[in-house]
Amino acid sequence: MKAGYFFGNFKPGTSEAMLKTFLKPFGEVISIRIPLDKKGALQRYAFVHISHNDKKQQEKLLKGRHVVNERDISIKPLLSHGHDSPEMQAKARKVHVMGLPDDADEKTLEVAFGKFGPIESVSIVRTKEGVSRGFGFVKFETSQSCRAACTNPIEINRRQVVCTPKIVQKSQNLRREMQRQERIAEGKEDPTKRRQL
């Protein structure tokens, strides 16, 4: 079973090789992406996709206390923002796509996400000048396609992007959390610092 995770609270210098060693008991690593900051240094978080052999491996990864590079790290599933119930996630048809390369356009998203099912609409958020802000949305015709897109690693123009279901809610806290996720994806906020909502 494939699953995606957000790993946070890294000690500076934590590498992909260290994470691969740590992850061996939890299944086969599909991909690890540690974003770079503006100076080219590794950020203190990563996006990880793993193929677990069984549900016990996933539970052990999510429930245990884990240390990498002499520091406790936090591990959260990519499918959840922490506010959304499994029932709401199961109904989601819209995917929030973060970490898009500058040269990605709507057609690129259609090609990358079309393999998961029929698409209703695609949009990339842009500045007033028309420059991509590095994230966008893909709305599928079915919730099954949305789940498939959120639980499989996706590369666009040789860059792995991060996908989470977009839940339609009027909650101010949820909107703030989505904006925070966007700032994290753009490297403008430290994901290890939790803001009070």
Side-chain angles (χ1 to χ4, degrees):
M1 58 182 284
K2 294 178 182 176
Y5 300 94
F6 175 84
F7 282 37
N9 196 36
F10 291 172
K11 182 178 179 181
T14 299
S15 67
E16 187 176 320
M18 291 176 186
L19 291 177
K20 278 185 178 173
T21 301
F22 161 74
L23 288 165
K24 279 183 183 175
F26 301 103
E28 182 185 347
V29 175
I30 299 169
S31 66
I32 296 174
R33 178 174 168 255
I34 305 177
L36 302 177
D37 64 17
K38 292 179 181 177
K39 296 178 181 175
L42 293 172
Q43 296 275 23
R44 292 173 40 202
Y45 62 94
F47 302 104
V48 177
H49 286 87
I50 306 169
S51 179
H52 298 292
N53 295 323
D54 54 45
K55 190 91 174 153
K56 288 181 182 176
Q57 285 184 328
Q58 184 179 35
E59 289 171 1
K60 190 176 176 185
L61 182 65
L62 288 172
K63 293 181 180 174
R65 174 182 174 259
H66 303 293
V67 177
V68 174
N69 196 16
E70 302 174 351
R71 178 179 283 182
D72 283 356
I73 62 168
S74 64
I75 301 172
K76 297 187 178 176
L78 279 180
L79 191 59
S80 171
H81 295 299
H83 298 288
D84 312 323
S85 69
E87 293 80 17
M88 290 175 67
Q89 289 178 5
K91 294 176 184 175
R93 293 190 300 131
K94 197 171 192 178
V95 177
H96 182 209
V97 187
M98 298 175 280
L100 290 173
D102 294 338
D103 58 347
D105 59 16
E106 283 78 3
K107 186 67 183 167
T108 311
L109 286 185
E110 282 182 27
V111 171
F113 286 87
K115 62 186 175 186
F116 299 109
I119 294 172
E120 200 171 289
S121 64
V122 174
S123 64
I124 293 177
V125 179
R126 302 179 187 279
T127 64
K128 290 179 183 176
E129 294 77 29
V131 178
S132 169
R133 293 186 56 206
F135 68 96
F137 301 95
V138 177
K139 187 173 184 180
F140 288 98
E141 290 181 7
T142 68
S143 56
Q144 291 86 351
S145 298
C146 176
R147 278 197 303 277
C150 291
T151 54
N152 285 284
I154 300 170
E155 274 196 15
I156 295 178
N157 298 348
R158 295 177 304 285
R159 179 190 287 184
Q160 187 175 335
V161 295
V162 179
C163 302
T164 53
K166 172 87 171 144
I167 309 297
V168 180
Q169 252 190 0
K170 293 181 179 178
S171 164
Q172 189 69 21
N173 286 349
L174 182 61
R175 195 173 307 118
R176 285 185 189 145
E177 179 65 14
M178 289 297 292
Q179 290 168 345
R180 178 176 177 272
Q181 293 289 337
E182 290 164 11
R183 289 193 298 274
I184 289 169
E186 294 169 1
K188 295 178 180 174
E189 183 170 330
D190 183 349
T192 61
K193 291 186 179 168
R194 193 77 191 153
R195 294 184 352 161
Q196 288 294 111
L197 295 176

